[in-house]
Amino acid sequence: MRTSRQVVDYSLQKRAVLRELLAGRVGTYDVCDASPYLKNAARFHGEPTDERCPICRSENLIHVHYIYGDELKQSAGQARTRAELPVLAMTLREFQVFVVEVCLGCDWNHLVEQFLLGRDGLAGGAEDGSEQGVVSGSSAPNGSTPRRRREAQR
């Protein structure tokens, strides 16, 4: 997706968990603990992958995309298909996506990555006036002062 930004990859953490499991410091029941809600989300909203489960090696992993953001209101925390994400990215200013891999055979689950999507990540969003700015006196979450709307500057 062209608007994804601030991507965090959790592959090193996954390798560390698998290393702990193979060394016997962590049990299989500690890492294979997918909740029934996560398994249902994987069945109905998940995207199958070609990657085999690192624990049971009998089934392919499924990626589930969870979305969070202020503009989502009651929809925050829902699982969405990958096809729905670009549509949401064009309609919402910003929301966060968490990708979880799930094995329906042995209940393995692990956070794969997280990233931001939304209109705020589009290049040229502020120049065409489509960006919704805030009135002066407010500050952005990252500490910088946001651009004002063109109407407010007049």
Side-chain angles (χ1 to χ4, degrees):
M1 283 168 254
R2 68 182 189 143
T3 61
S4 65
R5 58 198 181 277
Q6 296 183 5
V7 178
V8 179
D9 184 29
Y10 291 94
S11 60
L12 291 176
Q13 186 179 21
K14 176 182 172 181
R15 288 187 352 200
V17 168
L18 292 173
R19 189 172 41 250
E20 294 289 313
L21 179 69
L22 291 175
R25 292 186 284 269
V26 175
T28 306
Y29 291 112
D30 294 327
V31 295
C32 295
D33 59 352
S35 72
Y37 297 113
L38 179 58
K39 292 181 352 183
N40 279 338
R43 273 189 206 97
F44 298 112
H45 303 286
E47 303 291 326
T49 66
D50 293 331
E51 185 181 352
R52 287 284 187 187
C53 174
I55 307 300
C56 69
R57 300 191 192 284
S58 63
E59 295 199 26
N60 288 352
L61 294 172
I62 298 173
H63 284 176
V64 182
H65 300 81
Y66 285 100
I67 56 171
Y68 293 91
D70 292 337
E71 287 182 274
L72 292 167
K73 300 195 185 340
Q74 290 87 5
S75 298
Q78 290 183 351
R80 297 294 177 110
T81 62
R82 189 173 186 91
E84 292 175 293
L85 295 179
V87 175
L88 287 170
M90 296 310 291
T91 57
L92 300 172
R93 289 188 62 205
E94 182 176 270
F95 62 97
Q96 197 160 20
V97 180
F98 291 86
V99 183
V100 180
E101 65 182 16
V102 182
C103 175
L104 295 177
C106 70
D107 294 346
W108 159 262
N109 64 94
H110 197 273
L111 180 62
V112 177
E113 68 177 340
Q114 76 181 57
F115 53 90
L116 288 177
L117 286 177
R119 288 190 329 253
D120 283 354
L122 291 175
E127 287 77 31
D128 63 3
S130 65
E131 180 184 66
Q132 294 179 358
V134 294
V135 184
S136 65
S138 302
S139 63
N142 61 3
S144 65
T145 53
R147 295 183 183 190
R148 294 182 188 171
R149 294 183 70 163
R150 289 187 181 171
E151 297 84 32
Q153 291 177 349
R154 292 183 192 162

Short mmCIF file of all heavy atoms in Angstrom, two decimals, residues 1 5 35 59 66 71 85 117 119 123 134 136 153:
data_model
loop_
_atom_site.label_atom_id
_atom_site.label_comp_id
_atom_site.label_asym_id
_atom_site.label_seq_id
_atom_site.Cartn_x
_atom_site.Cartn_y
_atom_site.Cartn_z
N MET A 1 0.83 -1.17 0.00
CA MET A 1 0.00 0.00 0.00
C MET A 1 0.88 1.24 0.00
O MET A 1 1.83 1.31 0.75
CB MET A 1 -0.89 -0.02 1.23
CG MET A 1 -2.04 -0.96 1.09
SD MET A 1 -2.83 -1.19 2.65
CE MET A 1 -2.26 -2.82 3.01
N ARG A 5 3.13 3.86 6.49
CA ARG A 5 4.30 4.54 7.04
C ARG A 5 4.48 4.10 8.48
O ARG A 5 3.60 3.47 9.06
CB ARG A 5 4.13 6.05 6.94
CG ARG A 5 2.90 6.56 7.65
CD ARG A 5 2.53 7.95 7.16
NE ARG A 5 1.37 8.46 7.86
CZ ARG A 5 0.13 8.19 7.55
NH1 ARG A 5 -0.13 7.37 6.55
NH2 ARG A 5 -0.87 8.69 8.23
N SER A 35 -6.80 -16.97 21.04
CA SER A 35 -8.15 -16.93 21.61
C SER A 35 -9.16 -17.35 20.54
O SER A 35 -8.89 -17.29 19.34
CB SER A 35 -8.46 -15.52 22.09
OG SER A 35 -8.66 -14.66 20.99
N GLU A 59 0.12 -26.66 8.78
CA GLU A 59 -0.82 -25.73 8.15
C GLU A 59 -0.13 -24.42 7.81
O GLU A 59 0.88 -24.07 8.42
CB GLU A 59 -1.99 -25.45 9.09
CG GLU A 59 -2.84 -26.67 9.35
CD GLU A 59 -4.21 -26.33 9.87
OE1 GLU A 59 -4.68 -25.19 9.58
OE2 GLU A 59 -4.80 -27.16 10.54
N TYR A 66 -5.86 -6.02 12.15
CA TYR A 66 -6.70 -5.29 13.09
C TYR A 66 -6.46 -3.80 12.93
O TYR A 66 -5.32 -3.37 12.77
CB TYR A 66 -6.39 -5.69 14.53
CG TYR A 66 -6.93 -7.04 14.91
CD1 TYR A 66 -6.10 -8.15 14.93
CD2 TYR A 66 -8.26 -7.21 15.25
CE1 TYR A 66 -6.60 -9.40 15.27
CE2 TYR A 66 -8.76 -8.45 15.60
CZ TYR A 66 -7.92 -9.53 15.61
OH TYR A 66 -8.42 -10.76 15.95
N GLU A 71 -10.74 8.05 14.56
CA GLU A 71 -11.85 8.27 13.63
C GLU A 71 -12.72 7.02 13.44
O GLU A 71 -13.83 7.12 12.94
CB GLU A 71 -11.31 8.69 12.26
CG GLU A 71 -10.77 10.08 12.21
CD GLU A 71 -10.30 10.43 10.82
OE1 GLU A 71 -9.16 10.11 10.49
OE2 GLU A 71 -11.11 11.01 10.07
N LEU A 85 -8.43 -2.31 3.41
CA LEU A 85 -7.50 -1.31 3.95
C LEU A 85 -7.27 -0.12 3.02
O LEU A 85 -7.29 1.01 3.50
CB LEU A 85 -6.18 -1.98 4.33
CG LEU A 85 -6.26 -2.99 5.47
CD1 LEU A 85 -4.89 -3.59 5.73
CD2 LEU A 85 -6.84 -2.37 6.72
N LEU A 117 -1.79 3.94 8.30
CA LEU A 117 -2.38 4.20 6.99
C LEU A 117 -3.27 5.43 7.11
O LEU A 117 -3.67 5.81 8.21
CB LEU A 117 -3.24 3.02 6.53
CG LEU A 117 -2.54 1.78 6.04
CD1 LEU A 117 -3.56 0.71 5.69
CD2 LEU A 117 -1.67 2.07 4.85
N ARG A 119 -5.03 9.18 4.87
CA ARG A 119 -4.81 10.29 3.94
C ARG A 119 -3.65 11.17 4.34
O ARG A 119 -3.03 11.80 3.50
CB ARG A 119 -6.06 11.17 3.85
CG ARG A 119 -7.20 10.55 3.12
CD ARG A 119 -8.30 11.57 2.86
NE ARG A 119 -8.41 12.59 3.88
CZ ARG A 119 -9.38 12.67 4.78
NH1 ARG A 119 -10.34 11.78 4.78
NH2 ARG A 119 -9.41 13.64 5.66
N ALA A 123 1.40 12.12 -0.30
CA ALA A 123 2.23 13.26 -0.68
C ALA A 123 1.35 14.31 -1.35
O ALA A 123 0.51 14.00 -2.18
CB ALA A 123 3.32 12.82 -1.65
N VAL A 134 -5.98 21.81 12.18
CA VAL A 134 -6.60 22.19 13.43
C VAL A 134 -6.41 23.68 13.63
O VAL A 134 -5.54 24.30 13.06
CB VAL A 134 -6.00 21.40 14.61
CG1 VAL A 134 -6.32 19.94 14.50
CG2 VAL A 134 -4.52 21.61 14.71
N SER A 136 -5.43 27.15 15.52
CA SER A 136 -4.23 27.48 16.28
C SER A 136 -4.47 27.28 17.77
O SER A 136 -5.58 27.35 18.26
CB SER A 136 -3.83 28.93 16.02
OG SER A 136 -4.83 29.79 16.52
N GLN A 153 -6.44 30.84 8.00
CA GLN A 153 -5.31 31.74 7.86
C GLN A 153 -5.72 33.09 7.30
O GLN A 153 -4.97 34.03 7.40
CB GLN A 153 -4.24 31.11 6.97
CG GLN A 153 -3.55 29.92 7.61
CD GLN A 153 -2.56 29.29 6.68
OE1 GLN A 153 -2.51 29.60 5.50
NE2 GLN A 153 -1.74 28.39 7.21
#
